[in-house]
Amino acid sequence: MTVLAALTIDDAMTFEELFLLEYNRVANVALRILGDRAAAEDVAQEAFASFARRRLRIGDGSRGWLCTAAVHGALNELRSRRRRDTRERTVVRLEGRPIAADPFDAVALEQTREAVREAMKRLPERSAELLSLRYAGLSYREIAVALRLDEAQIGTLLARAQSAFRKELDDERAR
Amino acid sequence: MNEHDEAFDARAAYARYLATRARRPNRAPWYLGAGLAAASVLAIVFAAPIGSVAQSFLTIFQPKQFVAIDVSSMHAKNKLLPALSDYGTFAAVPPAATARPASVAEASRFAGFRVLAPASVPDQVGTAHVYRATKATANAFRFDAAIARKSVARTGHALPPMPPGIDGTKVTVAVGPMVETIWGSARAAFGGRGTSDAALRGDGLVIIQSRAPVVRSSGASLADLEAYLLAMPGISPDLADQIRAIGDPSSTLPVPIVGTKQSAHPVDIGGAQGLAIGDNTGIGAGVLWQRDGFVYAVFGSLTQDQVVAIATGLR
């Protein structure tokens, strides 16, 4: 993973190589928003398919493009999804995933994740994009290219997005 | 990468990707160098239908020469052609296998033909280069009147009525194998979408060698097909006239240029007639030609003379 993450995307890379290099990152972008591995993989698949359909050249903007496509896909999926019972989803998702030794810790972690997703859903789209791309490990420059923003603004915009996110998260936890 | 990231099986995901795409009608099956991709699209949209009435699968198009057509009129008005998927379906074809051979010999083995190398390249390009090879692939498109009717209903854009003879006609485009030899930044040479101005300043060079694409048709009235496609919304009368004026449409590949930004003129490449495309914006220049069943293209962030010299020196 570390080795892959360090690789840069160059122009001579094939689509297959791009897919293998970036899939994990793109799927995790969607997973952070959706909290559901299967749905995240669907979103990641669609992001790559969309990249191929548009016949985009492979280059250093590809990572940002794919991650942004995943953010949009995941937010759309989240918004169109009917809200199901949180508890039921938590139980289902915990099956087969030993993320914490203590089941109470596991539920607490899951509830935090759920709160994060709910907060993300209510954020303005641009803020959700910025945060998702930053959490995906993209540099300020990559984010600026992907979202067509001035690189010099990214720090300020991220700070604002983070503060808006914290407020939404506090509200969500207070519910 | 984030330490909280979960691990996904990218290889399994890629296998799933290929399997899913193979089952679906593929709207964009051409994973090719930008020049040839544009040429293939043009071949199917413009050149393929031109010819006589054929009763079975006939070769109706194989490029022997290139001619520039000025698409400024469409560019200026920002007009878009209807997507092919608005009036037909692509056969499910998985993406062609690609490789990054380490040497010209390896590239030749992968492609099944001898890959030519330039005698020399300008200093500013440097010596480091990579190869990208793509196996042969064939894409089939079937005209479907029912889909055309549906897309009219969906988009509200008028399409010309599809004549009965065209409905069901299948056109295949066989392309590759193809080898690209790439110096510097490929983006610099192609100036494709998603590239920043900074990337375009680099000195890049791409040499493409591909078996000439072949377009075949399953039949129907091809004259009607031409009339049908040239009547599509988005094709200006000026552009339709330029295409109708092509002397030998079964072997001439129209190459779209934006006349306000690019210029094109015939050029001799070791006895073969090529088409040199210069870009007045200073981004670069390119040349396309055909010889012995191969289509060649050289594009670079170089001058027209440098590009032609590289093309002439290929051995």
Side-chain angles (χ1 to χ4, degrees):
Chain A
M1 177 60 60
T2 317
V3 173
L4 274 184
L7 275 175
T8 54
I9 300 170
D10 71 70
D11 309 311
M13 190 172 263
T14 64
F15 180 74
E16 179 179 356
E17 289 166 328
L18 176 72
F19 193 105
L20 296 177
L21 176 66
E22 291 302 323
Y23 185 80
N24 214 70
R25 187 193 302 271
V26 174
N28 270 290
V29 167
L31 179 63
R32 269 190 289 276
I33 296 172
L34 291 168
D36 173 344
R37 279 182 70 92
E41 293 223 54
D42 287 347
V43 166
Q45 290 271 340
E46 183 48 36
F48 282 97
S50 177
F51 185 93
R53 270 202 302 276
R54 288 158 196 261
R55 298 173 202 155
L56 299 177
R57 298 290 302 176
I58 294 171
D60 59 11
S62 303
R63 175 176 294 156
W65 193 96
L66 287 165
C67 289
T68 309
V71 173
H72 292 164
L75 287 173
N76 286 341
E77 166 68 18
L78 197 62
R79 285 172 188 140
S80 64
R81 217 181 248 186
R82 283 192 359 231
R83 277 191 77 167
R84 279 171 288 180
D85 177 40
T86 306
R87 194 179 306 151
E88 177 192 311
R89 203 187 314 176
T90 304
V91 170
V92 171
R93 295 207 337 86
L94 285 174
E95 281 175 5
R97 215 179 78 179
I99 45 177
D102 183 336
F104 291 98
D105 281 353
V107 171
L109 178 58
E110 200 52 41
Q111 283 173 346
T112 303
R113 286 182 169 163
E114 188 67 29
V116 166
R117 282 192 288 281
E118 287 303 320
M120 203 70 142
K121 194 158 67 175
R122 282 197 303 277
L123 274 185
E125 178 117 5
R126 182 39 58 92
S127 301
E129 285 171 352
L130 280 160
L131 291 176
S132 298
L133 296 181
R134 189 57 180 157
Y135 293 162
L138 268 65
S139 68
Y140 279 22
R141 205 184 93 74
E142 286 175 316
I143 295 173
V145 171
L147 301 181
R148 297 180 186 202
L149 294 170
D150 183 353
E151 188 180 342
Q153 295 181 311
I154 299 293
T156 315
L157 293 172
L158 263 173
R160 273 189 217 146
Q162 264 156 353
S163 127
F165 175 69
R166 258 184 230 111
K167 187 179 173 306
E168 289 291 353
L169 192 58
D170 290 343
D171 291 354
E172 181 62 31
R173 281 173 169 155
R175 277 166 209 264
Chain B
M1 280 286 147
N2 191 305
E3 61 179 282
H4 301 297
D5 277 2
E6 294 191 17
F8 289 88
D9 186 343
R11 288 223 165 263
Y14 188 64
R16 181 184 154 209
Y17 175 87
L18 292 181
T20 312
R21 301 304 133 189
R23 281 198 302 274
R24 274 185 205 173
N26 194 346
R27 274 184 56 193
W30 295 295
Y31 184 61
L32 293 170
L36 283 181
S40 300
V41 174
L42 261 286
I44 204 169
V45 174
F46 297 128
I50 304 170
S52 59
V53 176
Q55 295 307 317
S56 60
F57 258 101
L58 287 181
T59 297
I60 54 169
F61 176 77
Q62 187 156 29
K64 292 200 164 50
Q65 55 184 335
F66 303 89
V67 63
I69 54 165
D70 188 351
V71 295
S72 303
S73 56
M74 297 168 69
H75 235 71
K77 292 170 196 153
N78 206 15
K79 280 187 168 180
L80 290 175
L81 290 169
L84 286 171
S85 56
D86 282 348
Y87 45 90
T89 52
F90 281 103
V93 180
T98 58
R100 291 178 65 184
S103 65
V104 69
E106 210 177 289
S108 298
R109 269 198 301 280
F110 186 86
F113 55 75
R114 193 170 73 83
V115 175
L116 302 187
S120 67
V121 297
D123 287 344
Q124 74 254 42
V125 169
T127 52
H129 57 281
V130 294
Y131 299 93
R132 178 164 61 187
T134 310
K135 290 279 193 199
T137 183
N139 301 289
F141 179 78
R142 187 188 294 278
F143 288 87
D144 188 328
I147 289 177
R149 280 193 298 274
K150 269 185 213 152
S151 71
V152 170
R154 193 183 67 242
T155 63
H157 297 148
L159 288 174
M162 188 183 286
I166 291 176
D167 190 15
T169 286
K170 193 171 164 189
V171 175
T172 65
V173 183
V175 289
M178 176 176 80
V179 173
E180 295 159 275
T181 313
I182 303 159
W183 282 260
S185 160
R187 293 186 318 284
F190 284 129
R193 272 160 76 171
T195 59
S196 65
D197 289 345
L200 297 178
R201 280 189 217 112
D203 289 316
L205 169 66
V206 178
I207 298 176
I208 299 172
Q209 181 179 357
S210 173
R211 290 239 182 247
V214 180
V215 183
R216 297 185 175 90
S217 163
S218 66
S221 163
L222 297 178
D224 280 353
L225 215 43
E226 177 196 17
Y228 175 62
L229 291 178
L230 291 184
M232 284 286 164
I235 296 190
S236 66
D238 166 59
L239 180 62
D241 285 347
Q242 288 185 64
I243 290 166
R244 287 194 196 97
I246 291 172
D248 181 4
S250 68
S251 65
T252 305
L253 182 65
V255 177
I257 64 159
V258 180
T260 49
K261 291 183 180 163
Q262 295 159 326
S263 60
H265 63 270
V267 63
D268 179 83
I269 305 293
Q273 188 187 303
L275 181 70
I277 300 164
D279 194 314
N280 301 337
T281 59
I283 288 173
V287 59
L288 288 159
W289 74 103
Q290 190 271 359
R291 179 183 290 136
D292 301 333
F294 287 96
V295 169
Y296 298 87
V298 176
F299 288 95
S301 47
L302 300 168
T303 67
Q304 190 74 78
D305 289 348
Q306 285 175 313
V307 167
V308 170
I310 293 166
T312 310
L314 281 185
R315 294 288 178 271

